[in-house]
């Protein structure tokens, strides 16, 4: 950039960096969402003088920090959401309160107030002898919440953000009031006016560009999930606990909480390094999918993301996508990396409808907790690891014979067909087998089922299925053939001629075998349509 005139001092560039910094950029943009909008998968800035979104960086004018305190606090407050939950709960308790419910409502109310220190202190004594007294008490709690909302905002934000950013600035335990004022003085004002004292010796270790802020300690808005503490820093930085960072990078890290998405107490971030835009869109999409289907967001995210990319560009850019999962404790986050090659991406995209049809299907593990295993998650997992094996089909069918599989026969057949397509399209295998052969084999299984019903021999289904499943488990073609011959002869049926293909190739054997078994297990085995 040597030919470009140096940027005016109030304009700063924030480049993509490590995943935590990237989460900070996403968070910073979300907190300042009044400055941009999305149109046709593009992020458009409303005022490029304040915020410019380039390929691998954003450019901001320091005026962007005007009013930042309120935006920052509101975003964190809404994310924590405790206040709204409590208010709604108190109103419900009030509605349910009468002499008959007095005892239960009183217990619930006490439990709601417990652990909400600020409210508890303001309420004072929470004794109530009857429903009339309790009514006044709950009304008082609602009144306090509504009148002192600003104070609750400040307190809730402090509690919520401590788990992300430790004890820095307004998060310090000694600060019990005027937290916004503290944030304004520590961050908004000096950022806006560029009045932070600069370190004469050090440049920021994060951007490597701006001069460091004087006396920046390591815990400055950096996260505990980095797994570093002061002792570690002593060791790392010439035995000096100060880690030089500029005020812009510091505030970016301070916003990372807003870039993560929470699911079941864990936090997730999708990290891509190709552009600010795709980083934003991927995380917004992930957030959307979690709200739509909390059981299976990864799958919906992947299929949806692939389809969107496919529309916007010819090549797939899933080569370096990372999912970060963290519990915010001082343990290192888990990183799941996906390198999806073109063929796999194409397979997922072409089978989008088939995959989606499985999104609610699951089977139960035979453990105490009756753990649910979502079939789609497992299937995609095997594909992404390039390890698609028949063990998954065995587990599903084994559960099915014990009434523990919640997947329709039709969808299960689609899964078997996807095995075939995967082996051919991604594995490039010539199998001499077509989809229609698998459906034909499925029908043969159904024929046997009908014949057994006609002959009042339904009690035989379990034992035949058990023998066939065992042969499939160990890949024993002879044993499978033996059972098939005996059963078909015993019930005057023709042995399916397709079985010749099963003798030629192991993959054919599994696919034809499971298709037959799927037909045989029919609806008699209470294989439930997904109604769960």
């Amino acid at each position: 950039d040597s030919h470009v005139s140096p940027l005016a001092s109030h304009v700063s560039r924030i480049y993509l960096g490590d995943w935590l910094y990237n989460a900070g950029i996403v968070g910073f943009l979300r907190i300042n969402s009044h400055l941009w909008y999305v149109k046709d998968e593009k992020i458009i800035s409303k005022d490029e003088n304040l915020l410019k979104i380039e390929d691998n960086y954003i450019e901001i004018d320091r005026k962007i920090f005007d009013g930042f305190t309120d935006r920052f606090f509101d975003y964190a407050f809404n994310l924590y959401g405790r206040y709204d939950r409590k208010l709604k709960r108190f109103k419900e308790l009030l509605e349910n309160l009468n002499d008959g419910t007095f005892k239960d409502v009183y217990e619930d109310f006490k439990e709601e107030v417990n652990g909400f220190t600020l409210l508890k202190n303001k309420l004072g004594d929470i004794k109530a002898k009857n429903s009339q007294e309790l009514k006044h008490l709950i009304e008082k709690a609602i009144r306090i919440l509504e009148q002192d909302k600003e104070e609750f905002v400040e307190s809730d934000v402090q509690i919520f953000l401590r788990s992300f950013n430790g004890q820095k600035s307004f998060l310090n335990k000694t600060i019990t009031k005027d937290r916004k004022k503290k944030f304004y003085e520590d961050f908004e004002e000096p950022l806006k006016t560029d009045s932070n004292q600069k370190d004469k010796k050090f440049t920021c270790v994060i951007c490597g560009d701006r001069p460091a802020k004087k006396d920046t300690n390591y815990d400055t808005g950096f996260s505990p999930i980095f797994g570093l503490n002061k002792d570690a820093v002593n060791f790392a930085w010439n035995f000096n606990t100060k880690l030089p960072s500029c005020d812009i990078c510091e505030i970016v890290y301070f916003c990372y909480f807003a870039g993560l998405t929470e699911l079941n107490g864990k936090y997730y971030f999708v990290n891509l390094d190709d552009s600010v835009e795709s980083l934003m869109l991927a995380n917004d999409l992930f957030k959307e999918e979690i709200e739509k289907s909390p059981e299976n967001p990864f799958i919906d995210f992947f299929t949806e993301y692939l389809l969107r990319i496919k529309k916007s560009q010819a090549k797939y850019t899933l080569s370096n996508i990372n999912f970060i999962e963290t519990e915010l404790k001082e343990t290192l986050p888990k990183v799941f990396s996906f390198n999806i090659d073109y063929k796999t991406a194409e397979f997922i995209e072409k089978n989008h409808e088939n995959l989606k049809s499985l999104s609610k299907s699951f089977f139960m593990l035979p453990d105490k907790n009756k753990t649910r295993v979502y079939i789609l998650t497992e299937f995609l997992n095997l594909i992404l690891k390039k390890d698609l094996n028949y063990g998954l089909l065995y587990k599903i069918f084994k559960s099915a014979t014990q009434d523990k599989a919640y997947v329709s026969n039709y969808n299960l057949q689609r899964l078997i067909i996807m095995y075939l397509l995967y082996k051919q399209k991604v594995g490039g295998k010539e199998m001499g087998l077509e989809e229609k052969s698998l459906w034909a084999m499925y029908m043969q299984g159904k024929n046997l089922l009908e014949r057994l019903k006609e002959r009042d021999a339904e009690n035989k289904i379990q034992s035949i299925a058990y023998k066939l499943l065992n042969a499939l488990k160990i890949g024993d073609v002879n044993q499978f053939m033996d059972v098939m011959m005996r059963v078909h002869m015993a019930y005057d049926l023709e042995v399916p001629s397709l079985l010749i293909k099963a003798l030629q190739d192991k993959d054919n054997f599994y696919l034809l075998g499971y298709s037959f078994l799927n037909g045989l297990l029919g609806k008699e085995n209470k294989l439930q349509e997904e109604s769960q």
Side-chain angles (χ1 to χ4, degrees):
D1 261 351
S2 54
H3 59 285
V4 180
S5 63
L7 296 172
S9 65
H10 54 274
V11 174
S12 303
R13 283 184 179 179
I14 300 168
Y15 285 88
L16 293 176
D18 62 74
W19 76 264
L20 197 64
Y21 194 75
N22 289 350
I25 292 175
V26 171
F28 182 77
L29 286 172
R30 282 178 177 169
I31 290 167
N32 291 297
S33 61
H34 63 299
L35 287 174
W36 54 271
Y37 62 96
V38 176
K39 189 179 180 210
D40 301 331
E41 310 289 312
K42 292 264 169 280
I43 294 182
I44 296 159
S45 171
K46 292 182 183 175
D47 179 357
E48 291 214 328
N49 294 321
L50 275 183
L51 170 70
K52 205 166 171 185
I53 297 157
E54 295 288 0
D55 203 30
N56 65 337
Y57 65 88
I58 59 174
E59 194 172 284
I60 60 165
D61 185 294
R62 283 182 180 266
K63 288 200 211 68
I64 201 172
F65 292 107
D66 197 28
F68 187 71
T69 304
D70 283 334
R71 295 195 293 276
F72 183 91
F73 272 74
D74 287 348
Y75 198 95
F77 179 66
N78 290 327
L79 215 49
Y80 189 30
R82 171 168 79 160
Y83 177 91
D84 288 332
R85 278 198 304 272
K86 294 283 183 196
L87 205 50
K88 192 172 155 216
R89 186 76 184 110
F90 289 154
K91 287 175 180 170
E92 281 168 6
L93 290 176
L94 211 48
E95 270 174 44
N96 298 335
L97 175 62
N98 54 47
D99 292 343
T101 60
F102 166 70
K103 250 172 117 161
D104 288 341
V105 172
Y106 190 28
E107 282 311 306
D108 283 349
F109 177 68
K110 283 194 291 197
E111 198 177 310
E112 290 292 343
V113 175
N114 244 337
F116 201 161
T117 319
L118 182 60
L119 179 63
K120 205 172 172 179
N121 294 344
K122 285 178 180 277
L123 266 174
D125 192 18
I126 52 169
K127 286 197 176 66
K129 294 193 230 11
N130 54 44
S131 58
Q132 198 48 40
E133 287 185 11
L134 181 56
K135 178 175 180 284
H136 289 312
L137 204 52
I138 299 175
E139 282 170 347
K140 184 180 171 187
I142 292 172
R143 209 165 46 245
I144 289 171
L145 281 175
E146 285 172 344
Q147 283 169 359
D148 300 348
K149 181 169 180 180
E150 193 51 41
E151 199 182 333
F152 283 101
V153 168
E154 297 198 5
S155 158
D156 269 10
V157 168
Q158 186 184 47
I159 291 163
F160 177 56
L161 289 185
R162 269 185 191 142
S163 54
F164 292 91
N165 290 326
Q167 296 276 323
K168 170 71 187 161
S169 175
F170 72 102
L171 300 177
N172 199 295
K173 281 204 166 66
T174 56
I175 293 182
T176 52
K177 61 181 201 308
D178 295 333
R179 301 164 182 90
K180 264 189 172 178
K181 191 167 158 244
K182 176 84 173 128
F183 184 91
Y184 179 86
E185 289 163 0
D186 284 356
F187 296 105
E188 180 175 328
E189 180 56 32
L191 277 161
K192 220 165 32 182
T193 55
D194 197 6
S195 56
N196 275 309
Q197 278 193 290
K198 312 244 193 307
D199 195 306
K200 290 193 173 60
K201 291 203 298 283
F202 293 116
T203 302
C204 170
V205 293
I206 295 139
C207 62
D209 181 30
R210 293 175 279 272
K213 183 173 145 183
K214 208 169 166 58
D215 297 330
T216 316
N217 276 337
Y218 181 75
D219 63 359
T220 314
F222 293 92
S223 143
I225 61 178
F226 251 156
L228 280 173
N229 54 29
K230 283 221 172 90
D231 308 332
V233 174
N234 287 343
F235 180 68
W237 203 260
N238 296 340
F239 303 101
N240 181 352
T241 60
K242 295 195 172 60
L243 189 71
S245 151
C246 69
D247 56 352
I248 299 278
C249 287
E250 176 185 29
I251 196 70
V252 169
Y253 271 122
F254 222 108
C255 293
Y256 89 90
F257 74 91
L260 306 182
T261 302
E262 189 264 343
L263 177 65
N264 302 330
K266 291 179 178 170
Y267 287 88
Y268 293 90
F269 183 67
V270 186
N271 196 31
L272 303 159
D273 53 14
D274 50 349
S275 74
V276 174
E277 195 166 67
S278 51
L279 186 71
M280 273 306 288
L281 296 173
N283 280 284
D284 283 353
L285 177 63
F286 186 60
K287 201 172 181 173
E288 247 172 70
E289 296 301 341
I290 274 191
E291 281 153 18
K292 276 200 305 216
S293 65
E295 325 73 61
N296 230 330
F298 295 100
I299 307 317
D300 294 345
F301 166 77
F302 258 123
T303 41
E304 201 43 47
Y305 188 68
L306 276 167
L307 286 175
R308 286 192 188 185
I309 285 181
K310 176 79 177 181
K311 275 188 213 124
S312 62
Q313 58 202 80
K315 69 179 199 325
Y316 297 98
T317 53
L318 275 191
S319 52
N320 38 10
I321 183 169
N322 295 310
F323 263 102
I324 318 291
E325 175 187 286
T326 170
E327 297 186 48
L328 299 183
K329 310 235 177 357
E330 296 222 354
T331 51
L332 287 172
K334 281 191 199 147
V335 180
F336 305 98
S337 297
F338 295 108
N339 275 308
I340 304 189
D341 57 78
Y342 186 83
K343 277 183 175 171
T344 308
E346 198 170 41
F347 173 79
I348 292 175
E349 196 249 328
K350 283 215 164 49
N351 285 281
H352 183 241
E353 286 309 312
N354 281 332
L355 290 163
K356 265 214 141 52
S357 70
L358 284 167
S359 67
K360 292 194 173 77
S361 303
F362 63 90
F363 61 92
M364 307 271 212
L365 290 179
D367 57 4
K368 290 198 298 291
N369 312 325
K370 297 199 168 126
T371 309
R372 288 181 172 200
V373 178
Y374 282 94
I375 292 171
L376 182 51
T377 314
E378 286 300 295
F379 180 69
L380 270 178
N381 205 1
L382 293 170
I383 285 179
L384 294 176
K385 286 196 200 138
K386 301 230 182 309
D387 181 27
L388 185 62
N389 56 57
Y390 296 99
L392 173 61
L393 288 177
Y394 173 74
K395 284 181 202 154
I396 298 168
F397 277 93
K398 177 103 174 115
S399 310
T401 57
Q402 297 160 351
D403 285 344
K404 298 254 169 55
Y406 298 87
V407 53
S408 68
N409 297 79
Y410 182 70
N411 283 343
L412 196 43
Q413 195 56 28
R414 283 163 89 168
L415 176 66
I416 296 170
I417 283 163
M418 277 195 288
Y419 265 81
L420 170 69
L421 295 175
Y422 181 83
K423 297 274 174 198
Q424 290 172 333
K425 299 275 187 315
V426 183
K429 189 166 177 194
E430 279 295 322
M431 291 160 71
L433 203 57
E434 293 170 36
E435 274 181 57
K436 60 176 193 227
S437 312
L438 298 185
W439 280 114
M441 201 65 176
Y442 170 75
M443 292 316 294
Q444 300 271 6
K446 274 187 118 57
N447 290 347
L448 175 58
L449 175 63
E450 292 309 316
R451 182 59 57 94
L452 290 168
K453 283 195 217 163
E454 281 165 25
R455 304 264 175 107
D456 287 328
E458 284 176 66
N459 58 341
K460 294 276 193 299
I461 296 171
Q462 276 298 60
S463 79
I464 297 169
Y466 179 75
K467 285 177 188 152
L468 292 175
L469 190 57
N470 267 347
L472 283 162
K473 181 190 180 180
I474 53 175
D476 191 332
V477 186
N478 294 334
Q479 190 186 324
F480 188 88
M481 290 298 194
D482 190 49
V483 178
M484 290 288 276
M485 298 287 206
R486 284 165 194 256
V487 170
H488 282 78
M489 284 159 74
Y491 293 98
D492 307 319
L493 284 168
E494 240 180 83
V495 179
S497 57
L498 273 165
L499 281 178
I500 295 167
K501 286 192 187 295
L503 292 168
Q504 294 164 353
D505 178 283
K506 248 327 189 312
D507 283 308
N508 288 358
F509 163 61
Y510 286 118
L511 295 169
L512 291 164
Y514 279 116
S515 294
F516 181 84
L517 193 54
N518 191 24
L520 172 66
L521 288 172
K523 274 279 158 280
E524 297 315 293
N525 213 60
K526 296 204 240 4
L527 261 174
Q528 296 170 28
E529 279 295 344
E530 185 46 61
S531 59
Q532 299 299 307

